[in-house]
Amino acid sequence: MLGLSFLAVAAWALIPDQADGELAPAARYGVFLVTLVAFFLAEMGDKTQVATLMLAAKYDAIVAVVAGSTLGMLCADVPAVLLASMAPRAIPLKAIRFAAAALFAALGVMTLAV
C-alpha cells in the first residue's frame, strides 16, 4: 500500500497547480498576517514550543526564555526564507515538479521491490 501511495504522489506531482479564481488569503489579509497564522498553526505543539515551555517553567524566567527561543527561531528561519525567496528565480518550477515526481516514483518502486 505504501509503495502504491508513493507512486500515486509521483503522478500527482506531475500535475501543475491551477488557480481556481478565488482571492488568495494573502490578498485579503496581507502577507504578514497569513504568514503569522500559518507559522503559528504549523509550529503549534512542536518540540521547540514544548522545550520553551519546559525551560520557562524550570528557570522561572519566561521573558528570557521566550526571547531566546524567538531569537533562535529567527536565526534559523530568516536565512531559509531569504533562500526560498530566491529559489523560484534560480530553479524552474517544472524542474522541481519532475524531480519530486522522480523521487516519489523511486521510493515507490523501491518499497514495492522490498
Side-chain angles (χ1 to χ4, degrees):
M1 198 66 189
L2 179 62
L4 294 176
S5 297
F6 278 132
L7 293 175
V9 171
W12 186 19
L14 292 174
I15 302 169
D17 290 335
Q18 306 223 344
D20 57 5
E22 290 184 25
L23 190 59
R28 281 192 295 230
Y29 303 112
V31 171
F32 178 78
L33 184 61
V34 170
T35 304
L36 180 74
V37 171
F39 184 77
F40 176 78
L41 292 175
E43 297 295 325
M44 190 167 48
D46 75 342
K47 292 177 285 204
T48 306
Q49 287 186 351
V50 172
T52 301
L53 178 69
M54 292 299 148
L55 286 170
K58 181 176 181 177
Y59 294 108
D60 196 30
I62 192 164
V63 173
V65 171
V66 169
S69 176
T70 302
L71 183 62
M73 290 297 290
L74 285 173
C75 288
D77 292 341
V78 167
V81 169
L82 293 176
L83 217 69
S85 70
M86 292 183 274
R89 290 185 290 270
I91 306 169
L93 188 57
K94 193 173 187 178
I96 294 171
R97 200 170 51 246
F98 282 119
L103 178 64
F104 278 108
L107 288 171
V109 169
M110 287 189 313
T111 303
L112 291 173
V114 174

